[in-house]
């Protein structure tokens, strides 16, 4: 836990993951008989929900989750202590406590007897199992404790911290590697103090770096060791990579990117939420449903906490899937399949076909007229339209005396033409 305040890479990782976990919203649900999440009913008023949203008068829900998640990321363990009123078994407050102050008490047959809390002054307080909620990353060597990423890389974290301190002392001590002043005799206490004071006064500190040394007693022996020899730049880079590997977090999750655009930014956001935030939320969800809710009685067996998914929706993939389903529906309906059943088969919501309140037979006749206008004289009367009278052709001019018009056969009349435009202007007959 102290390492978080001394190594920048570790601070960035833990701060990013704990913040992302704490910002997610939670809801309380009543389970459905079908077991499907979409059939659940949200519970907006319940004592467990009030406790989760306001764990105590000093912590908000977000701060409470952030503190516990910091402990889990750093030590592999997170702890909540439950406070009650002696007159009621219901939890009244939820307090996050430091993992180093909690000690499980094993039991020879029941696995666990309880816990011992060690206060800041060394006082010991015994706690029952129902008074404590433990979240942990399993430790392969100890079933009672957890193991986090930091335990696996403590040596690398110390190396990063020591290299930073070495650089700091390098500048404080004159921005030059140390050396040795050799004298040919044993100095008295006064002579030793005088030599040390003069050297510190003239050469210690950044302001006195590279000054010429004047030594009255002894000679200067240089210990030539540069920062290049120490390879601090490479050491710090390796330490950063080792810390990221332990947490399974890529460079872009910490804002270390060489080239970024909207597509890569959205992909990075989705990756962080799916592979880093969701597993942490699932651990908290299990603790709430298995440890906290049962404290509210048998009725709480039908309730469950769940978080709002932090994974952003992939709009491009959703649009492509919707277009594919729409094309499948169109093809199946055109082939004669029943529309509502087709929608259910491809997973689309039920949609009404045609105009609201329309007659399916009438809609079919209208489609036939649109597809084959030549059928209009037959279908329009069936739809309630009167066909207009054929237009009267203008009288033909009288033929010249020398022109003889052959007689028309008896009983034949000129055909009246009925255009599609005339049919379109047809009026509905009154009924």
């Amino acid at each position: 836990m102290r390492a978080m305040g001394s190594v920048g890479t570790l601070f960035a990782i833990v701060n990013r993951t704990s913040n992302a976990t704490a910002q997610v919203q939670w809801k309380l649900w009543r389970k459905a008989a079908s077991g499907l999440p979409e059939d659940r009913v949200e519970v907006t008023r319940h004592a467990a929900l009030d406790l989760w949203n306001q764990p105590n008068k000093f912590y908000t829900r977000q701060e409470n989750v952030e503190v516990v998640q910091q402990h889990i990321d750093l030590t592999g363990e997170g702890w909540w202590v439950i406070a009650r009123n002696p007159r009621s078994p219901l939890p009244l407050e939820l307090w996050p406590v430091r993992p180093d102050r909690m000690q499980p008490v094993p039991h020879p047959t029941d696995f666990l007897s309880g816990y011992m809390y060690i206060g800041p002054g060394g006082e010991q307080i015994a706690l029952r199992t129902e008074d404590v909620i433990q979240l942990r990353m399993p430790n392969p060597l100890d079933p009672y404790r957890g193991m986090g990423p930091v335990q696996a890389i403590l040596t690398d974290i110390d190396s990063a911290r020591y290299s930073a301190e070495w650089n700091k002392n390098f500048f404080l001590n004159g921005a030059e590697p140390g050396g040795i002043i050799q004298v040919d005799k044993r100095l008295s206490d006064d002579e030793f103090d005088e030599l040390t004071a003069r050297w510190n006064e003239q050469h210690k500190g950044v302001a006195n770096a590279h000054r010429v040394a004047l030594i009255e007693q002894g000679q200067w022996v240089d210990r030539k060791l540069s920062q290049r020899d120490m390879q601090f730049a490479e050491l710090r880079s390796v330490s950063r990579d080792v810390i990221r590997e332990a947490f399974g977090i890529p460079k872009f999750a910490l804002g270390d990117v060489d080239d970024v655009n909207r597509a890569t930014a959205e992909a990075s956001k989705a990756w962080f939420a799916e592979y880093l935030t969701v597993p942490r939320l699932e651990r908290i969800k299990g603790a709430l449903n298995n440890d906290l809710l049962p404290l509210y009685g048998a009725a709480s067996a039908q309730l469950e906490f769940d978080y709002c998914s932090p994974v952003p929706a992939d709009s491009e993939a959703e649009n492509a899937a919707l277009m594919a389903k729409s094309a499948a529906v169109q093809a199946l309906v055109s082939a004669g399949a029943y529309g509502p059943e087709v929608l259910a088969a491809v997973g689309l919501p039920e949609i009404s076909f045609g105009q609201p309140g329309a007659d399916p037979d009438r809609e079919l006749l209208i489609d036939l007229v649109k597809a084959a206008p030549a059928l209009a004289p037959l279908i329009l009367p069936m739809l309630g339209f009167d066909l207009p009278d054929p237009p009267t052709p203008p009288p033909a001019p009288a033929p010249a005396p020398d022109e003889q018009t052959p007689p028309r056969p008896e009983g034949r009349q000129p055909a009246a033409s009925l255009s599609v435009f005339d049919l379109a202007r047809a009026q509905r007959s009154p009924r």
Side-chain angles (χ1 to χ4, degrees):
M1 289 186 289
R2 293 188 181 93
M4 181 179 174
S6 59
V7 179
T9 303
L10 181 61
F11 177 88
I13 293 175
V14 175
N15 181 65
R16 186 68 57 88
T17 54
S18 59
N19 261 316
T21 305
Q23 290 175 5
V24 175
Q25 298 297 319
W26 291 79
K27 293 183 178 181
L28 184 63
W29 300 91
R30 187 173 302 280
K31 299 178 184 178
S34 63
L36 299 177
E38 56 269 21
D39 294 337
R40 299 178 301 183
V41 177
E42 183 180 358
V43 178
T44 57
R45 298 187 63 182
H46 194 275
L49 187 62
D50 296 337
L51 177 67
W52 180 238
N53 290 328
Q54 186 65 53
N56 55 69
K57 63 180 180 180
F58 296 100
Y59 281 81
T60 63
R61 176 189 55 80
Q62 180 176 349
E63 188 177 7
N64 182 37
V65 173
E66 186 174 357
V67 169
V68 171
Q69 188 55 54
Q70 282 182 349
H71 291 161
I72 297 174
D73 284 335
L74 292 170
T75 68
E77 298 178 2
W79 299 81
W80 280 312
V81 172
I82 299 173
R84 293 180 173 87
N85 188 310
R87 295 172 295 179
S88 173
L90 295 180
L92 295 182
E93 293 180 340
L94 201 62
W95 290 88
V97 296
R98 283 172 40 175
D100 58 328
R101 293 181 176 173
M102 295 296 298
Q103 183 64 43
V105 180
H107 191 278
T109 58
D110 296 336
F111 182 72
L112 189 65
S113 298
Y115 302 91
M116 187 67 68
Y117 173 78
I118 303 174
E123 63 276 14
Q124 296 185 358
I125 302 175
L127 299 172
R128 301 173 300 174
T129 55
E130 57 267 28
D131 295 333
V132 176
I133 297 177
Q134 181 187 20
L135 301 88
R136 64 177 178 269
M137 302 172 66
N139 187 332
L141 297 177
D142 189 349
Y144 296 97
R145 307 307 301 239
M147 175 180 289
V150 178
Q151 283 93 320
I153 54 173
L154 276 177
T155 302
D156 299 277
I157 290 177
D158 288 340
S159 297
R161 180 167 57 87
Y162 292 150
S163 64
E165 292 179 357
W166 194 96
N167 276 314
K168 172 186 175 182
N169 294 328
F170 173 82
F171 289 102
L172 291 179
N173 292 329
E176 282 288 347
I180 301 174
I181 298 179
Q182 291 183 346
V183 296
D184 55 359
K185 66 175 183 178
R186 182 177 179 86
L187 300 178
S188 65
D189 292 343
D190 293 338
E191 290 175 333
F192 179 84
D193 294 340
E194 180 183 359
L195 179 61
T196 303
R198 287 186 178 183
W199 179 265
N200 291 337
E201 180 182 356
Q202 297 181 19
H203 302 286
K204 186 177 181 179
V206 179
N208 295 324
H210 304 288
R211 293 185 60 179
V212 177
L214 298 177
I215 304 175
E216 297 183 21
Q217 297 175 342
Q219 60 180 353
W220 171 261
V221 180
D222 192 10
R223 294 173 57 201
K224 196 62 177 178
L225 188 62
S226 66
Q227 286 177 303
R228 178 179 299 178
D229 298 328
M230 296 293 289
Q231 294 183 325
F232 279 114
E234 293 81 359
L235 178 61
R236 297 295 294 272
S237 178
V238 170
S239 298
R240 286 195 296 267
D241 294 340
V242 170
I243 296 173
R244 284 198 300 263
E245 288 175 0
F247 280 91
I249 188 168
K251 294 171 61 176
F252 66 76
L254 300 180
D256 187 1
V257 293
D258 299 325
D259 184 19
V260 64
N261 52 45
R262 185 177 183 85
T264 58
E266 292 181 351
S268 301
K269 181 179 180 180
W271 188 96
F272 186 95
E274 183 174 359
Y275 292 101
L276 294 179
T277 306
V278 168
R280 288 165 169 80
L281 293 171
E282 286 290 335
R283 183 179 293 111
I284 298 175
K285 175 182 173 182
L288 295 178
N289 293 331
N290 297 327
D291 298 331
L292 180 62
L293 279 179
L295 301 178
Y296 289 88
S300 63
Q302 300 301 319
L303 303 177
E304 63 177 352
F305 276 100
D306 202 356
Y307 55 87
C308 301
S309 177
V311 181
D314 189 345
S315 57
E316 184 176 351
E318 290 181 354
N319 292 337
L322 181 60
M323 293 298 297
K325 291 180 179 180
S326 301
V329 169
Q330 182 178 7
L332 292 172
V333 171
S334 299
Y338 181 53
E341 292 184 357
V342 172
L343 292 174
V346 300
L348 291 177
E350 185 176 348
I351 302 174
S352 300
F353 287 84
Q355 298 297 325
D359 183 0
D361 295 335
R362 178 179 175 83
E363 295 294 327
L364 176 61
L365 294 175
I366 293 175
D367 292 338
L368 290 174
V369 173
K370 292 179 179 178
L375 298 177
L378 299 175
I379 296 177
L380 286 178
M382 299 172 63
L383 296 175
F385 290 95
D386 286 335
L387 298 181
D389 295 332
T392 303
D402 56 346
E403 294 182 1
Q404 297 293 331
T405 301
R408 181 177 290 109
E410 193 72 23
R412 294 186 62 184
Q413 299 297 329
S417 61
L418 186 62
S419 67
V420 176
F421 299 101
D422 294 329
L423 296 177
R425 290 193 295 268
Q427 301 295 325
R428 182 188 297 270
S429 62
R431 291 189 176 182

